Amino acid sequence: VARTRIIDRASIIRVALQIADESGLQSVTLQAVAKRLGVTAMSLYGHIDNKAALLDGVVEELLAEFALPDADLPWRERLSRIGRAARDSARRHPDVFPLLLNRAAATPGAHRVREAVHAALRDAGLTGDDVYRAERLLTTMIVGFATSEVSGRFTQSAADVEADYVYLERLLTRMIAIASEPDEGDPAPSAGPAVESA
Amino acid sequence: VARTRIIDRASIIRVALQIADESGLQSVTLQAVAKRLGVTAMSLYGHIDNKAALLDGVVEELLAEFALPDADLPWRERLSRIGRAARDSARRHPDVFPLLLNRAAATPGAHRVREAVHAALRDAGLTGDDVYRAERLLTTMIVGFATSEVSGRFTQSAADVEADYVYLERLLTRMIAIASEPDEGDPAPSAGPAVESA
DNA sequence: ACCTGAACACCGTTCAAGT
DNA sequence: ACCTGAACACCGTTCAAGT
């Protein structure tokens, strides 16, 4: 009757993410997405290339939703908030978030988050390749932690997981402090000799 | 003709891991596994509960293959080798290895590897809950790193990835040194005040 | 321009039946 | 005891056809 386009790429991806959050990734099926949109599965092909592209879009949507802190805040506070935001995102999207570790972070959304981390690290005093290296390590650890937390790999109490996270955050803060020392970013021999034992 | 049992659980899982390594996880299909074993898909149900159980078995097989270092080596060397072994395992099984971050590490194979790390950390001087916390963080980081490396999330050259890994290893070594200090495992205020900046 | 019907090859899974 | 045939509900995907 009406010639209004019923669906578009954005609504397809939004619904797919919704289904993943509610019922898991394996419930994200072209027919399920189409049904919720009141349309047949075949019509989705007018807006997406195939299912793999749909899942790429879902991950990108998760990244797009990712709230970045105000750039005026001190760098330490910014990094701390980004870490918390990652864990929040993982909790909100427990089936989709883990995909972040499995794909090349080459999408616009990934770039945007990465840039925010770079900026904070530069403000922390890192320069050159140290910025990129620290970002990679830091992001890998945060995403790895949040994924573990949300997929049941950590079996301790919530309070213990929180304690682990605080510990991890301190460790990363130290990494940044060491990397920003004038004598180049080597976390090697400073305080005492490493502990040897039987 | 012969009443020899043609297949068993172990051979099913071995073939499934083989197919995953060769053609990816989405090629691991009951029909594909059965075909390679010279049997129909339905016959697999005599040995496994369902496909999810098959994948659990595949992950467990990867862990069972995981070579642990000689317990007589110094703890630092043992941890170093376990880290390298993890990266080797990821390279050999690039589609299966990432699953390690997504499941509760409650299987016998997971327990075996974890125990080896616990032992090394105790020899490093850690005690009590510090042992478990350090193992969790350490394992999460190594698995996260190896997963990133093998799934194309890191886009630098192989040499740069290697440099990142060396850096990560030093960082973890420092974490252990700090945690084993008598004053309790806090990586917090030792050297200088953390760098603040604009 | 956008959606649908019909069709295809392929999934996981059940169950009664064969040897 | 172990494997198979037949069947089912469900996938992703293509393509010609409708409006």
Side-chain angles (χ1 to χ4, degrees), chain A residues 194-198, chain B residues 73-76 78 119-126:
Chain A
V195 179
E196 289 286 352
S197 96
Chain B
L73 291 167
W75 66 265
R76 198 187 293 281
R78 267 180 285 154
L121 291 173
R122 273 192 255 270
D123 288 349
L126 301 220

Side-chain angles (χ1 to χ4, degrees), chain B residues 70-100:
Chain B
D70 195 314
D72 293 337
L73 291 167
W75 66 265
R76 198 187 293 281
E77 179 67 18
R78 267 180 285 154
L79 287 182
S80 176
R81 294 196 186 195
I82 290 173
R84 294 284 170 183
R87 290 175 72 204
D88 287 344
S89 175
R91 266 189 278 264
R92 246 188 330 261
H93 310 295
D95 266 52
V96 176
F97 188 91
L99 298 180
L100 288 176

Side-chain angles (χ1 to χ4, degrees), chain B residues 129-152:
Chain B
D129 286 343
D130 284 358
V131 172
Y132 304 115
R133 179 163 64 180
E135 182 276 329
R136 269 178 247 130
L137 254 30
L138 194 141
T139 304
T140 301
M141 295 185 203
I142 296 288
V143 175
F145 187 94
T147 295
S148 299
E149 182 178 10
V150 95
S151 61

Side-chain angles (χ1 to χ4, degrees), chain B residues 16-129:
Chain B
L17 178 56
Q18 227 172 71
I19 294 176
D21 293 344
E22 292 170 13
S23 325
L25 210 50
Q26 52 174 263
S27 297
V28 179
T29 210
L30 295 189
Q31 4 270 319
V33 171
K35 187 175 187 182
R36 192 169 292 200
L37 288 164
V39 106
T40 68
M42 300 84 81
S43 73
L44 301 182
Y45 283 92
H47 305 89
I48 56 162
D49 282 351
N50 50 40
K51 192 183 176 182
L54 171 59
L55 291 182
D56 287 346
V58 168
V59 173
E60 183 64 10
E61 170 72 12
L62 176 148
L63 284 168
E65 283 178 6
F66 198 99
L68 292 176
D70 195 314
D72 293 337
L73 291 167
W75 66 265
R76 198 187 293 281
E77 179 67 18
R78 267 180 285 154
L79 287 182
S80 176
R81 294 196 186 195
I82 290 173
R84 294 284 170 183
R87 290 175 72 204
D88 287 344
S89 175
R91 266 189 278 264
R92 246 188 330 261
H93 310 295
D95 266 52
V96 176
F97 188 91
L99 298 180
L100 288 176
L101 266 197
N102 300 6
R103 20 197 92 214
T107 65
H111 189 258
R112 173 179 150 269
V113 175
R114 203 165 40 221
E115 277 302 310
V117 176
H118 287 161
L121 291 173
R122 273 192 255 270
D123 288 349
L126 301 220
T127 56
D129 286 343

Side-chain angles (χ1 to χ4, degrees), chain A residues 76 123 136 164 170 186 197, chain B residues 123 136 170 186 194 197:
Chain A
R76 198 188 294 281
D123 288 348
R136 269 179 246 128
D164 277 10
R170 284 203 202 133
D186 245 275
S197 96
Chain B
D123 288 349
R136 269 178 247 130
R170 284 204 204 132
D186 245 275
S197 96

